[in-house]
Amino acid sequence: MIEQYIEHLDIDGFQRDLIQWYHSVKRDLPWRINQDPYRILVSEIMLQQTQVATVIPYYERFMKLFPTTKGLAMADDQTLLKAWEGLGYYSRARNLRESARMIEEMGGFPKTHEEILKLKGVGPYTAGAVSSIAFDIPVPAVDGNVFRVMSRVCCIYEDIAKAKTRKTFEAVVSRVISHEDPSAFNQGLMELGATICTPKSPKCLQCPVQFYCQAYHQGVDDLLPVKTKATSQTKMKLVVAVVKNQHGEYLVSKRPNTGLLANFYEFLNFEYLGEKEFLVEKLSPICKKVESVQFIGTFNHVFSHRIWEMESYFISIQTGYEEVIAENDYLWISEQQMTDYPLVTAHQRILKNIES
């Protein structure tokens, strides 16, 4: 099956033109300053589900905090999550720390593709990227950009939303990857997909491998890659109460240590099921101390498979709540302390609307 996709491809020419183009136009990105596998691993984990422009400032701050695997391995949850705050998909941060611990136990970063693949949270793409970029091992690193580029170059109509399709693309890339410069080859495919071979309106006239692209010659570049639509997201309506006392402190609680946004802090919130007096009822332990209740607005926060629709209120109280704190593990934190606690991003947005 693989032969049908590459039988008309001049592999040597494709490698040469792609690699020459990459070396001449590659973006100046902080993780490209050397081939340090730890720096590359951190960047690849951060770049999962997150755009380059968003990642850069997080990456630079993270590397200052944790310049080595030893430093990251020793990081506590609060410091780690605060450093990752805003990037989302927080299991990535925990897995990265676990990988750092595994690397420290190994006595150094693993140097084979098979060993790298064993690191926590490292799948076929990340292992391929680290192996090829850091150690020049000629293995495929198939991400969304590579799916798009190779589906067009080779006219592959297999549905990339299906798990089995990855095997097809990995086999194709394995056949065409440069063994002399696998690092530049894989990064060239990624760079091409990010800057030229874009999902919509690809810049075909600027493409360094246009000559080899079957989709371009057949005029079907807009039909590839084939991808079925993802399942719809579930909407959950929540009520969020930002409670502030007379000392200027906010009431927060820590989320469970497993599940969505584990170990992050959040304001008082609960699912709204249509109760008529929902706010008074839920806040009854402090209602007699309430000075004012102000409606802030309704905000949506979108996750991959769910949407939080948050009806939000600012509540000023005079004192107390000690009994509720003791019972529900809440705590008061000052505005200055807000920078020390990882607050869920959805609630950060609500807080900004209060402070503005």
Side-chain angles (χ1 to χ4, degrees), residues 2 6 140 142 166-176:
I2 303 305
I6 62 174
V142 178
R166 174 175 291 276
K167 297 296 183 183
T168 299
F169 279 83
E170 288 176 343
V172 168
V173 175
S174 293
R175 289 292 302 275
V176 303

Side-chain angles (χ1 to χ4, degrees), residues 249-270:
E249 298 169 319
Y250 291 97
L251 186 70
V252 299
S253 64
K254 192 175 184 180
R255 292 178 66 87
N257 58 11
T258 59
L260 182 67
L261 300 173
N263 289 331
F264 266 73
Y265 289 81
E266 62 186 357
F267 295 123
L268 183 68
N269 69 93
F270 49 88

Side-chain angles (χ1 to χ4, degrees), residues 74-325:
M74 296 171 63
D76 60 71
D77 259 11
Q78 185 168 317
T79 304
L80 176 70
L81 294 175
K82 189 65 183 177
W84 203 272
E85 184 182 66
L87 271 178
Y89 300 94
Y90 294 97
S91 61
R92 295 182 298 173
R94 297 186 182 89
N95 287 340
L96 188 57
R97 180 179 58 186
E98 184 59 31
S99 287
R101 290 171 177 171
M102 293 171 69
I103 292 166
E104 286 299 302
E105 290 176 2
M106 294 175 187
F109 207 101
K111 293 181 171 60
T112 69
H113 181 247
E114 291 73 22
E115 289 176 319
I116 294 170
L117 194 55
K118 293 177 183 177
L119 295 175
K120 182 70 173 178
V122 172
Y125 163 73
T126 303
V130 175
S131 298
S132 60
I133 298 170
F135 300 109
D136 290 305
I137 301 172
V139 291
V142 178
D143 68 350
N145 288 318
V146 176
F147 271 129
R148 187 162 56 255
V149 171
M150 296 310 298
S151 71
R152 290 169 175 170
V153 169
C154 298
C155 266
I156 303 175
Y157 283 89
E158 295 188 35
D159 184 358
I160 65 171
K162 296 181 178 179
K164 65 178 183 180
T165 301
R166 174 175 291 276
K167 297 296 183 183
T168 299
F169 279 83
E170 288 176 343
V172 168
V173 175
S174 293
R175 289 292 302 275
V176 303
I177 192 172
S178 167
H179 284 241
E180 287 70 37
D181 196 351
S183 173
F185 181 88
N186 275 347
Q187 290 185 89
L189 287 180
M190 299 172 199
E191 193 84 352
L192 189 65
T195 62
I196 300 293
C197 195
T198 50
K200 296 181 180 179
S201 303
K203 305 177 183 71
C204 295
L205 297 181
Q206 301 175 33
C207 180
V209 294
Q210 177 207 101
F211 175 79
Y212 310 96
C213 183
Q214 291 297 307
Y216 172 76
H217 292 301
Q218 296 178 28
V220 294
D221 52 274
D222 59 331
L223 301 180
L224 293 166
V226 174
K227 184 179 181 180
T228 54
K229 291 184 179 180
T231 55
S232 59
Q233 296 162 314
T234 301
K235 181 174 287 189
M236 176 182 292
K237 185 169 183 179
L238 301 171
V239 172
V240 178
V242 180
V243 180
K244 190 175 185 180
N245 66 19
Q246 78 274 25
H247 305 298
E249 298 169 319
Y250 291 97
L251 186 70
V252 299
S253 64
K254 192 175 184 180
R255 292 178 66 87
N257 58 11
T258 59
L260 182 67
L261 300 173
N263 289 331
F264 266 73
Y265 289 81
E266 62 186 357
F267 295 123
L268 183 68
N269 69 93
F270 49 88
E271 188 172 1
Y272 175 51
L273 300 176
E275 304 95 331
K276 185 177 180 181
E277 302 296 335
F278 65 91
L279 193 57
V280 173
E281 179 182 335
K282 292 292 184 179
L283 298 178
S284 57
I286 62 167
C287 276
K288 59 184 178 181
K289 304 293 185 181
V290 169
E291 276 193 327
S292 63
V293 177
Q294 176 187 350
F295 175 65
I296 305 168
T298 299
F299 307 92
N300 284 355
H301 189 78
V302 181
F303 298 94
S304 56
H305 297 296
R306 72 185 68 181
I307 299 173
W308 281 356
E309 185 180 279
M310 300 172 293
E311 190 171 305
S312 308
Y313 296 83
F314 176 59
I315 300 178
S316 178
I317 71 170
Q318 267 298 317
T319 186
Y321 222 39
E322 287 81 2
E323 70 281 7
V324 180
I325 292 175

